[in-house]
Amino acid sequence: MRTKVWMALSVLLALTLVLAACQPTAPTPQVIVETVVVEGTPKVVVATPQVTQPAEQRKVLRLAWGPGDIPTIDTALAVDVISIQLIDEMTVGLTRQNEQTAELELAMATDVKTSDDGRTYTFTIKEGVPWVRYNGKEVEQVLDCEGNPRYVTAYDFEYGILRTLNPATASDYAYVLYGIEGAAAYNQGETEDPSTVGVKALDAKTLQITFVEPAVYNLNIAGLWVAHAQPKWIIDGDDCTEGRGERWTETGFYQGYGPFTLKEWVHDSEIAIVKNPFWPGDAVVPSPKIDEVRWKLVDTSGALAEFETGNLDVSGIPSGDLDRILNDPKYADMLRNTYTLGTEFYAFNTTKAPTDDVRVRLALALAVDREALVKNVTKTGEPARWFTHPGVAGAPKPEKFPNLGLTYDPQRAKALLDEYLKEKGLTADQLDITLMFNTSESHKRKAEAVQAMWKETLGINVKLTNQEWKVYLKQRKAGNENIYRGSWVQDYPDANNFLREVFTDNNGTPGAYQDVVNWPVAENAEGMIVYTPGSNPLYDKFVELVKAAARETDPEKRMQLYADAENILVNEAAVVLPLYWYADKVLVSPRVVDTPSITGYDRYEKWDIKS
């Protein structure tokens, strides 16, 4: 029988503060005393004192994201930047990447010990961090069936990792946890026993994770959002809580424990997170100075208009407005350079003609003048000759590999295409090629510029099509077009995250963009991804290189292995066309005190708004 918990009494006790006569009056702290009845027994719960601020004193940071809805804030299901950004503000991992240095820091883990063989990590979990929810008026602690606050424990982390890996969850990012022992077999349904996965809560404050092999990035993986603690009771239900299933992320249901928690999510319009007064701030993840962060879901041009009228605090700059903004002295102190460890690229569908032929893919890649694209269209970023951002560990550095990767070579591009057309008995204008991108004015301008380059150099009339982000992800996965716009921002700052986890077959599951590239794999009758070694020698060599690089401890040798892998990716197999490495300019209101980030994710708990 489900236990029913009824609130019998809620009493507010005002605490009078005695202040010096010359001091301004401070807001009055409030202690919330609640009496709950559990199976007939009254129990008194006293919440942590909170300060209620007048509405006019609240600090609200006003931001914008692109058009269309946020795909998800489900910890196990997120795959894109805005979803991960929100999750990282509302929950905290065992480890956390510093946004300014990209260095790894302990977060929900206060200590970690590594076994002699380098495979097993034992984490001590921070105690006294409660789960919270926004009840429509304020943030409150979540109570268990006995009326006590639910605190984050090692069991919540164990549940979170296992839920992400559970095949029924259908997490597209589960593969990133395949470095954990037994994770791949469990996620792929080879076993239904979760105890075979190398994650175990030894007690409420001790979590043990065992990896398949020692690697420098294992601690990064342990801190990723898909490995954060998740609230089992609100997802699956328990004796006193109705399980909400996939609806647990909706307004009023969502429960988190980070520096912020969900306030409201108006789908396709806006989303807001509110300060969590119960988060015990520390040097790594401090208590927020800002009371609320609110995103409007509008395009960059709309965001800039809102910024210029004083309705937004931060805005990107559409390429068409960049010169105006840069030349207007009133914006001089508002401009920020943002350097993100990420890459803008186009991915080729190798299963659809004519991009199923490497000569066509390479011709298209060589016909793009990336220097001109950055100079005349994006006006930000650095032309990319290969995929991995040079700022991450292990990545080839331009000064050490001046001849690596793609260069603009229209003559060679024309020769390759002519060879293909002669063999097929076709002319360039007969080729049917479509480039799809997610709806955005900037993506449209880039696509139109590249479309013009292909027309001028190769005589190909490439069609353009677009979809809003959430729909685009589904369309991309369906693989009905030839070329897809792509963006990769590091999950952790290592080349392994760019190459092995994006483009290789990970124990039977494709990498993040392998659903597009699909260069070596196929689906069998049961829908499982299969690959027979030897059926694609280039892919075999690529996998061999990135796996060797993961184990290599000598930095120079490791960099060479990744350089060799990049050459296969962009030249020999030509499955990816890198466009530029990210570096953008944004506008930040003078009232905002921000901490710039190089990781692609901001830490709003460190921001402030001037009074």
Side-chain angles (χ1 to χ4, degrees):
M1 179 72 67
R2 187 180 297 271
T3 303
K4 294 183 178 179
V5 181
W6 298 96
M7 181 179 293
L9 180 65
S10 179
V11 182
L12 295 180
L13 301 178
L15 301 180
T16 303
L17 297 179
V18 180
L19 303 174
C22 60
Q23 296 297 316
T25 303
T28 302
Q30 296 178 328
V31 177
I32 300 174
V33 181
E34 297 178 348
T35 301
V36 298
V37 179
V38 181
E39 295 182 345
T41 304
K43 185 177 183 66
V44 175
V45 178
V46 181
T48 301
Q50 302 182 64
V51 175
T52 303
Q53 292 179 300
E56 63 272 12
Q57 294 183 11
R58 296 183 74 251
K59 297 180 178 181
V60 180
L61 178 65
R62 303 162 302 172
L63 307 174
W65 185 248
D69 203 7
I70 304 295
T72 185
I73 56 171
D74 190 317
T75 320
L77 301 180
V79 299
D80 62 296
V81 172
I82 185 59
S83 298
I84 298 164
Q85 173 73 75
L86 286 159
I87 289 167
D88 267 354
E89 290 300 295
M90 298 188 291
T91 60
V92 176
L94 298 167
T95 59
R96 193 172 180 88
Q97 192 180 355
N98 184 285
E99 79 283 5
Q100 293 182 287
T101 67
E103 293 179 359
L104 199 66
E105 301 171 317
L106 292 181
M108 277 299 289
T110 60
D111 182 63
V112 58
K113 293 181 172 58
T114 310
S115 62
D116 292 340
D117 65 1
R119 296 195 308 120
T120 301
Y121 299 79
T122 303
F123 300 90
T124 301
I125 307 298
K126 185 190 298 289
E127 296 183 87
V129 179
W131 287 91
V132 299
R133 64 180 288 270
Y134 185 76
N135 65 12
K137 294 182 179 179
E138 61 187 359
V139 178
E140 64 181 9
Q141 296 183 86
V142 176
L143 305 181
D144 63 18
C145 295
E146 285 70 45
N148 298 309
R150 296 185 190 265
Y151 292 105
V152 180
T153 69
Y155 298 106
D156 300 332
F157 278 96
E158 178 187 64
Y159 170 78
I161 292 173
L162 293 178
R163 177 174 177 260
T164 296
L165 290 170
N166 190 327
T169 305
S171 169
D172 289 334
Y173 231 80
Y175 75 89
V176 80
L177 299 176
Y178 279 11
I180 298 175
E181 192 171 68
Y186 179 58
N187 183 244
Q188 295 168 30
E190 295 176 13
T191 175
E192 296 181 357
D193 183 3
S195 69
T196 60
V197 179
V199 55
K200 184 174 180 58
L202 303 183
D203 53 45
K205 66 176 185 178
T206 311
L207 182 74
Q208 193 172 82
I209 302 178
T210 300
F211 288 82
V212 174
E213 59 184 5
V216 295
Y217 45 78
N218 282 343
L219 279 175
N220 292 90
I221 292 174
L224 292 179
W225 71 97
V226 285
H228 286 194
Q230 297 179 37
K232 184 177 189 298
W233 51 92
I234 192 66
I235 300 172
D236 298 340
D238 64 8
D239 287 344
C240 60
T241 309
E242 180 183 352
R244 300 296 179 175
E246 63 181 15
R247 298 187 65 239
W248 79 276
T249 57
E250 295 296 331
T251 303
F253 296 154
Y254 182 85
Q255 297 179 10
Y257 59 90
F260 294 90
T261 195
L262 181 68
K263 180 180 181 182
E264 63 178 342
W265 183 4
V266 181
H267 291 282
D268 298 300
S269 177
E270 60 183 10
I271 191 168
I273 57 177
V274 64
K275 176 181 179 178
N276 172 14
F278 300 99
W279 171 254
D282 55 31
V284 175
V285 189
S287 296
K289 302 179 182 71
I290 292 173
D291 297 294
E292 184 176 325
V293 186
R294 180 174 292 274
W295 285 263
K296 288 187 176 181
L297 305 181
V298 296
D299 206 340
T300 311
S301 60
L304 179 60
E306 291 279 309
F307 179 89
E308 292 189 296
T309 56
N311 295 323
L312 282 183
D313 295 309
V314 180
S315 174
I317 307 172
S319 56
D321 291 277
L322 189 56
D323 288 337
R324 173 177 68 85
I325 297 295
L326 292 177
N327 293 318
D328 191 334
K330 75 178 180 182
Y331 292 116
D333 294 334
M334 302 183 198
L335 284 165
R336 301 283 191 279
N337 290 316
T338 62
Y339 300 96
T340 298
L341 300 178
T343 305
E344 182 81 9
F345 65 98
Y346 287 154
F348 293 114
N349 182 351
T350 64
T351 65
K352 182 178 176 63
T355 50
D356 59 344
D357 192 291
V358 66
R359 293 169 295 182
V360 175
R361 300 195 298 271
L362 189 53
L364 290 166
L366 294 170
V368 174
D369 187 345
R370 286 170 294 283
E371 295 278 353
L373 183 69
V374 168
K375 180 180 180 181
N376 301 320
V377 182
T378 68
K379 300 183 180 180
T380 60
E382 182 180 349
R385 300 203 316 269
W386 56 84
F387 182 73
T388 305
H389 192 289
V392 304
K397 306 296 186 261
E399 63 273 16
K400 292 189 176 184
F401 295 89
N403 300 316
L404 177 65
L406 290 170
T407 56
Y408 175 50
D409 192 342
Q411 288 76 27
R412 187 181 174 210
K414 187 72 166 61
L416 284 166
L417 185 65
D418 286 345
E419 179 183 318
Y420 171 82
L421 293 172
K422 182 178 180 180
E423 179 183 300
K424 301 296 183 181
L426 299 170
T427 56
D429 61 332
Q430 292 177 307
L431 295 183
D432 183 10
I433 300 177
T434 299
L435 163 62
M436 175 176 274
F437 56 92
N438 54 298
T439 304
S440 159
E441 293 176 354
S442 64
H443 297 335
K444 182 174 184 287
R445 278 191 287 270
K446 284 178 287 189
E448 288 173 342
V450 173
Q451 178 190 47
M453 293 177 188
W454 286 333
K455 174 64 175 177
E456 180 180 351
T457 300
L458 302 174
I460 300 175
N461 299 304
V462 175
K463 294 188 288 291
L464 304 181
T465 184
N466 68 97
Q467 296 284 352
E468 289 188 355
W469 180 241
K470 196 170 183 179
V471 178
Y472 168 78
L473 290 176
K474 295 178 181 178
Q475 293 292 321
R476 194 194 79 191
K477 193 168 185 178
N480 295 323
E481 311 300 349
N482 298 95
I483 310 169
Y484 291 87
R485 177 258 166 185
S487 169
W488 187 258
V489 174
Q490 58 89 40
D491 300 317
Y492 55 91
D494 193 279
N496 185 77
N497 184 239
F498 277 76
L499 295 179
R500 186 175 182 180
E501 292 179 356
V502 176
F503 297 113
T504 75
D505 178 38
N506 294 282
N507 298 293
T509 294
Y513 271 87
Q514 205 170 343
D515 62 324
V516 177
V517 173
N518 203 30
W519 57 342
V521 298
E523 289 189 2
N524 62 17
E526 288 73 39
M528 295 294 292
I529 302 297
V530 294
Y531 175 66
T532 303
S535 62
N536 188 316
L538 274 180
Y539 176 72
D540 288 337
K541 180 64 175 176
F542 181 84
V543 172
E544 178 185 328
L545 288 166
V546 296
K547 286 186 174 180
R551 297 187 296 269
E552 182 57 62
T553 56
D554 183 288
E556 295 300 319
K557 292 180 180 178
R558 192 167 189 250
M559 190 179 297
Q560 183 62 60
L561 288 167
Y562 282 127
D564 294 342
E566 290 280 4
N567 188 57
I568 292 175
L569 188 72
V570 302
N571 274 319
E572 294 184 61
V575 293
V576 171
L577 165 53
L579 296 174
Y580 55 91
W581 295 310
Y582 287 138
D584 289 315
K585 290 186 182 295
V586 297
L587 287 167
V588 179
S589 167
R591 81 187 196 110
V592 173
V593 181
D594 60 321
T595 56
S597 171
I598 66 168
T599 65
Y601 302 99
D602 288 301
R603 301 302 189 203
Y604 296 117
E605 66 272 15
K606 297 180 182 180
W607 290 33
D608 199 359
I609 292 176
K610 299 175 185 176
S611 302

